[in-house]
Amino acid sequence: MKHQHILEELRGKGVRLTPQRLLILNTVAQGEGHLGVDEVFRQAKESYPYMDIATVYRTLHLFKKMGVVTEVAIGDRLHFEITDPDGRHHHMVCRECGGAYNLAPDYLVEFRETLMREFAFEPDLDNFTVTGICSVCQSKDKAKV
Amino acid sequence: MKHQHILEELRGKGVRLTPQRLLILNTVAQGEGHLGVDEVFRQAKESYPYMDIATVYRTLHLFKKMGVVTEVAIGDRLHFEITDPDGRHHHMVCRECGGAYNLAPDYLVEFRETLMREFAFEPDLDNFTVTGICSVCQSKDKAKV
DNA sequence: TAAGCTCTTGCAAACGTTTGCGATTACTAA
DNA sequence: TTAGTAATCGCAAACGTTTGCAAGAGCTTA
């Protein structure tokens, strides 16, 4: 069981650490990359058969609100990952293959400054996703034509 | 009935123009700004009581695929508007008040070029939405503290 | 350690959205 | 104008997600 610091943090915020929550946290942590809700549910259920899908949803939303996990929209489906501890990152999601790529925060600094200066609009760039077509799929598409 | 050019365009693409579709198109067009699915449904039902919610969903998705309407995510809810004919625009959505502001394409040109150059990632910036806090709500928040 | 308070869980029902299907309708061609 | 064909509609059921509620469990205090 890693993520001891996350547990301390949650306890400090008055979040009760139930077996279900620990299990879901572990599942998300072990699921390298990004897991969908149903995948988290299925895996957690293997360890604890009474696990309820409603608990999974409630727990993931709680973790998201607490900043412990990050939600990434991949083609209409929500995926979850443990929040990047050393500096947040963003995502580029390919609409063709569904692949998710990380994007360092630097690339958004200027965009953010522009919106602030021009519109006094403070964008949420902590959890930012841009969809598009990745380089691999671009090559494939060209090959088809 | 405006939007004659849209009808021609749809017919040209082999889309059947049923009364239900015309009605939904008019509803979206008249609903200044952005209408939710339920609002489109309710308004369309006033003119044609047999209107089915499934038809509204199917039609809006069809129109979206045809490029006739644009989908905007406003705080977990999808809204629809007639696609901007003279140059597309983007949206800034306030997560506090739910307000949607237009954003001219210019502000994204540089961001797009960066992603292309650095990652060969072609972003979908035709229908781009960034959430955040608008200037009005920022002032309110300050006042509360 | 045990009691008590509050939060969380599991269940079931509700909600919003999507899908399958038979009946109906828009469009095409004669 | 009419008949034929394929797409669309309305209905109902299915699906994924959220919510209400009573039973159960975590944390605090003494």
Side-chain angles (χ1 to χ4, degrees):
Chain A
M1 179 60 175
K2 296 167 182 179
H3 308 293
Q4 199 58 42
H5 58 288
I6 295 182
L7 300 185
E8 299 303 334
E9 189 189 330
L10 287 174
R11 205 191 308 266
K13 288 179 180 171
V15 172
R16 289 192 187 173
L17 300 180
T18 67
Q20 291 91 335
R21 288 179 176 173
L22 298 180
L23 184 52
I24 290 170
L25 181 65
N26 271 329
T27 305
V28 174
Q30 283 168 15
E32 295 270 331
H34 313 167
L35 291 183
V37 175
D38 51 338
E39 292 164 309
V40 174
F41 176 52
R42 206 174 321 115
Q43 288 189 35
K45 205 170 184 176
E46 285 177 14
S47 305
Y48 174 59
Y50 295 133
M51 179 64 75
D52 194 273
I53 185 71
T55 300
V56 174
Y57 277 105
R58 280 191 278 230
T59 302
L60 288 175
H61 289 160
L62 173 73
F63 285 171
K64 181 190 166 191
K65 200 170 72 178
M66 294 297 160
V68 167
V69 305
T70 296
E71 189 185 273
V72 185
I74 298 187
D76 294 349
R77 267 204 148 43
L78 296 179
H79 288 226
F80 293 86
E81 61 181 13
I82 296 287
T83 299
D84 194 339
D86 31 72
R88 306 178 176 262
H89 63 269
H90 313 294
H91 297 91
M92 296 181 284
V93 173
C94 179
R95 101 176 96 86
E96 195 113 340
C97 67
Y101 302 86
N102 290 340
L103 178 66
D106 324 11
Y107 296 103
L108 285 167
V109 170
E110 182 161 351
F111 179 50
R112 180 196 146 88
E113 279 170 2
T114 304
L115 294 191
M116 295 275 289
R117 187 179 57 242
E118 301 280 332
F119 306 103
F121 185 88
E122 161 93 65
D124 292 330
L125 296 180
D126 280 351
N127 182 13
F128 176 84
T129 300
V130 58
T131 59
I133 302 214
C134 71
S135 53
V136 178
C137 289
Q138 282 174 47
S139 319
K140 279 187 202 153
D141 289 353
K142 257 179 213 160
K144 279 183 201 156
V145 181
Chain B
M1 179 59 172
K2 296 167 181 180
H3 309 290
Q4 198 59 41
H5 58 289
I6 294 182
L7 299 184
E8 299 303 336
E9 189 188 331
L10 287 173
R11 205 191 308 267
K13 289 180 180 171
V15 172
R16 288 195 186 170
L17 300 180
T18 67
Q20 291 91 335
R21 288 179 176 173
L22 299 180
L23 184 51
I24 290 170
L25 181 65
N26 271 330
T27 305
V28 174
Q30 283 168 15
E32 296 270 332
H34 314 167
L35 291 183
V37 175
D38 51 337
E39 291 164 312
V40 174
F41 176 52
R42 205 172 323 114
Q43 288 189 35
K45 205 169 184 176
E46 285 177 14
S47 304
Y48 174 59
Y50 295 133
M51 180 65 75
D52 193 273
I53 185 70
T55 299
V56 174
Y57 277 105
R58 280 190 278 232
T59 303
L60 288 175
H61 289 161
L62 174 73
F63 284 172
K64 180 191 167 190
K65 199 170 72 179
M66 294 296 160
V68 167
V69 305
T70 296
E71 189 186 273
V72 186
I74 299 187
D76 294 348
R77 268 205 146 43
L78 297 179
H79 288 226
F80 293 86
E81 61 180 15
I82 296 288
T83 299
D84 194 339
D86 31 73
R88 305 174 178 264
H89 63 270
H90 313 294
H91 296 92
M92 296 181 285
V93 173
C94 178
R95 103 176 94 86
E96 194 114 342
C97 67
Y101 302 85
N102 290 339
L103 178 65
D106 324 12
Y107 296 102
L108 285 168
V109 170
E110 181 162 351
F111 180 51
R112 179 195 147 90
E113 279 170 2
T114 304
L115 294 190
M116 296 276 289
R117 186 178 59 242
E118 301 280 334
F119 306 103
F121 186 88
E122 160 92 64
D124 293 331
L125 296 181
D126 281 351
N127 182 14
F128 176 86
T129 300
V130 58
T131 59
I133 302 214
C134 71
S135 54
V136 178
C137 289
Q138 282 175 47
S139 319
K140 278 187 202 154
D141 289 352
K142 257 178 214 159
K144 278 182 202 157
V145 181

